[in-house]
Amino acid sequence: MFESARKLTPLRQLGWGFLLAWVFCVFYTNATGEVGGEATGSPTFAESLFYAAFPLAASVITLVAIVIAEPRIGAPTDHRPLVIAAPVLTAASTPLMFTTVADPVAHAALFAIGSIATGVGSALLWVMWGEYYAVVPREESEMLAPASAVSAALVVLLVSAMDGWVAVAVATALPLLSGLCFRLVWTPEAHRVERALAKHGRTGHDATHRPLAGLGRTGFGILTVFAIVSIAGMGQTHWLEGAPLQAILLFSTLMMAVVALMAVSGPRRMSLFFLYRWMCPTLVIGFAAVILFGSGGGIATVAASLGGRFTFCLIAQIYFANYAAAGRATPAQASSLGWLFVHAGDLLGVVAWIALGPWVAADPAAILWISTVSIVVLVVVTMIVMGDTATFLRVPERDAIEAVTSGKTGAIVGTDSEAGTDAVRTGANARCSNDTPLYPDGTGRRSEVVATEPAPNPANESAIEANLEARIAALAAEHRLTPRETEVFALLSRGRSIPYIRDELIISRETAATHAKHIYAKLGVHSRQELIDLVQR
């Protein structure tokens, strides 16, 4: 962990945190003042919907366009002018979101221009940073993401202590800082690796080559949770200013720091399951506070909402970086999908809250009903998403990608620090880092290229897998393994580590280790390698 922390010294790698701070300052809190709003008088339903939903809609449309257009015109990072234009456009249009003029039509026009420009510019920045997270080593990305989130919370806390246009000016500078950091980290080597990953994402893993094909329930879960988080944040807007806001931000910062420290200190690094199981109960507690204490519990709901936003932004950033590195989509498509689900969930929550506004204003019990239904939906969605072990809990290993220079694949032998055994991986360099030398397995560990040969025949792979499953079943029956031990045995036979088995079977590390110990005793082996040799005889 401390070696990974050392890599964080270059502050340019925390540039995603400036972008995250910008969106929290401008849209998720009142740190820089109220965004939009009608120039005079109370807004109508249509005006409320316009000022709350239009910026989100602009981002959603831009992200959809990137997903569709990327196979034809390439990723945003393929076009150097976009790397410069995205942060400049976002920063230049940010003040328009806070400019108030007496004429309602002119006011709405300025806001619309600012919404479109910030929506397009920020969407491009989200995607570009997602591409970067897909090409740096996994252990590095899983340290950078929480560090950036904590840094973003601190920046928002700082801006919340400023007044008026001073706060707006600082918020305006954040996209520029993010863009500058990206220019510094996006090296030619990073671009080369991204191109290799993009090529692999178009030609490998899924036969249909559709970026949505492997998402399963994950995207649905992120979208729904962000809708719930959005409703929680909008329900008590009076808490989002002054001292209460600063107290909430300080709480969120400390909570994020503790959760991130606990997550990255474990052998599996940043576990998505770990984050999800932390934040969903926190949101439930926030809604329960409103049910139990009425408006007095509103501050707990808002605190849970802000903490949930930070945490699920981590989930989106890390999961979809892994999604791209596994070859399920190109880095640009994967990142676009991740932030599309985030912003679409926000948009859904905003529209739902505005639609429910008249009921909330007329009936004091309405907020209790909304909180209760939100808890039920959150619990159900959590159960559905957590049950999808193929796409959420078990983040795919870094699939091999076709080498850029040779167009061939090679077998690479390296040491897996988690498993404690030799792991054989196929492919070329799938990752890059600014601070460590590149090795063929992309992990910063020295590896030896053993052979270079064409990709194996899929039919032969299927036959080998069928024989392996039959051998595992026969040995399990012969040595009277229990059903759970058989599951662990099958994973051990494939070289999986104890932390991997823990996340795959949703059991504790101690339970997984105990099952492994019993399996070794029943089979008469003393190590995982002996077990693998027994299965392969």
Side-chain angles (χ1 to χ4, degrees):
M1 180 181 69
F2 296 106
E3 177 63 21
S4 298
R6 183 186 62 80
K7 298 178 182 179
L8 294 179
T9 304
L11 295 179
R12 62 183 181 270
Q13 291 186 277
L14 301 180
W16 179 64
F18 291 120
L19 181 60
L20 197 63
W22 172 82
V23 76
F24 271 82
C25 286
V26 176
F27 296 110
Y28 291 161
T29 70
N30 288 335
T32 50
E34 185 177 355
V35 174
E38 219 273 309
T40 58
S42 299
T44 64
F45 174 81
E47 289 166 345
S48 297
L49 189 62
F50 169 75
Y51 287 113
F54 197 75
L56 291 169
S59 293
V60 168
I61 293 171
T62 303
L63 292 167
V64 170
I66 294 174
V67 173
I68 296 173
E70 192 270 348
R72 298 177 181 84
I73 66 174
T77 51
D78 291 334
H79 306 279
R80 189 177 184 86
L82 289 181
V83 177
I84 299 173
V88 172
L89 182 64
T90 306
S93 54
T94 295
L96 297 179
M97 310 291 289
F98 300 90
T99 301
T100 301
V101 295
D103 184 0
V105 176
H107 179 77
L110 284 175
F111 183 79
I113 294 171
S115 296
I116 294 172
T118 56
V120 173
S122 63
L124 290 169
L125 276 173
W126 291 120
V127 174
M128 289 189 293
W129 276 110
E131 292 182 73
Y132 176 70
Y133 272 73
V135 302
V136 297
R138 176 176 177 177
E139 62 270 17
E140 188 170 337
S141 69
E142 292 179 351
M143 182 67 76
L144 285 172
S148 296
V150 173
S151 300
L154 290 173
V155 170
V156 179
L157 181 62
L158 177 65
V159 173
S160 69
M162 303 175 182
D163 295 322
W165 284 100
V166 175
V168 174
V170 174
T172 298
L174 295 176
L176 296 176
L177 291 173
S178 181
L180 175 62
C181 290
F182 185 81
R183 285 290 305 278
L184 295 174
V185 299
W186 194 251
T187 61
E189 180 63 22
H191 186 68
R192 185 190 71 82
V193 175
E194 191 277 336
R195 288 293 81 206
L197 281 172
K199 183 177 181 181
H200 183 58
R202 292 193 182 96
T203 61
H205 194 86
D206 188 80
T208 61
H209 309 309
R210 292 178 300 174
L212 285 170
L215 275 177
R217 310 163 193 165
T218 309
F220 166 76
I222 292 175
L223 185 148
T224 305
V225 168
F226 261 90
I228 299 289
V229 165
S230 182
I231 291 173
M234 294 188 69
Q236 302 287 337
T237 55
H238 62 280
W239 292 113
L240 293 179
E241 57 186 6
L245 171 61
Q246 293 174 350
I248 291 170
L249 285 169
L250 182 59
F251 166 79
S252 299
T253 303
L254 293 174
M255 184 177 66
M256 279 298 306
V258 171
V259 171
L261 182 62
M262 292 179 64
V264 301
S265 63
R268 281 287 290 175
R269 312 296 299 171
M270 182 65 71
S271 167
L272 303 185
F273 175 56
F274 178 85
L275 290 174
Y276 212 95
R277 72 184 181 186
W278 259 80
M279 286 316 307
C280 288
T282 302
L283 288 169
V284 170
I285 292 172
F287 283 115
V290 174
I291 296 174
L292 294 174
F293 307 110
S295 60
I299 191 170
T301 308
V302 174
S305 172
L306 283 182
R309 285 185 188 276
F310 278 117
T311 301
F312 284 105
C313 282
L314 288 184
I315 288 179
Q317 187 77 336
I318 294 173
Y319 178 81
F320 285 95
N322 290 329
Y323 192 78
R328 295 175 180 263
T330 68
Q333 286 179 325
S335 181
S336 298
L337 287 170
W339 295 107
L340 175 59
F341 290 127
V342 169
H343 292 311
D346 275 333
L347 180 59
L348 179 62
V350 166
V351 172
W353 180 257
I354 292 175
L356 294 171
W359 178 35
V360 174
D363 185 359
I367 192 67
L368 302 181
W369 281 101
I370 293 173
S371 299
T372 302
V373 172
S374 296
I375 290 175
V376 172
V377 172
L378 187 62
V379 170
V380 171
V381 170
T382 301
M383 293 173 63
I384 292 174
V385 173
M386 288 302 179
D388 191 6
T389 57
T391 60
F392 188 77
L393 300 179
R394 180 165 56 91
V395 176
E397 296 293 329
R398 301 296 187 184
D399 287 356
I401 62 173
E402 189 173 0
V404 173
T405 54
S406 66
K408 297 180 180 180
T409 56
I412 299 171
V413 178
T415 302
D416 187 334
S417 61
E418 289 182 1
T421 61
D422 287 341
V424 179
R425 295 177 181 175
T426 305
N429 179 26
R431 312 288 277 173
C432 77
S433 171
N434 292 320
D435 306 305
T436 58
L438 293 172
Y439 298 108
D441 67 351
T443 61
R445 299 188 297 267
R446 295 190 178 275
S447 305
E448 178 184 359
V449 178
V450 178
T452 299
E453 59 185 58
N457 189 322
N460 292 340
E461 286 187 345
S462 298
I464 293 172
E465 179 63 21
N467 291 335
L468 177 61
E469 291 180 357
R471 176 67 172 165
I472 290 171
L475 287 172
E478 177 184 350
H479 296 278
R480 299 182 179 181
L481 301 184
T482 66
R484 178 60 90 181
E485 288 174 347
T486 301
E487 291 179 314
V488 175
F489 175 45
L491 293 171
L492 289 172
S493 301
R494 291 171 170 82
R496 300 306 189 189
S497 65
I498 293 299
Y500 183 98
I501 295 171
R502 174 195 66 190
D503 287 350
E504 171 71 4
L505 300 181
I506 321 178
I507 56 179
S508 69
R509 180 186 175 93
E510 291 74 20
T511 301
T514 299
H515 283 313
K517 181 179 179 181
H518 292 165
I519 292 167
Y520 289 171
K522 289 183 179 182
L523 270 62
V525 298
H526 301 88
S527 68
R528 186 178 311 161
Q529 188 58 53
E530 288 186 18
L531 183 146
I532 293 173
D533 292 341
L534 175 65
V535 173
Q536 294 179 348
R537 285 176 190 169

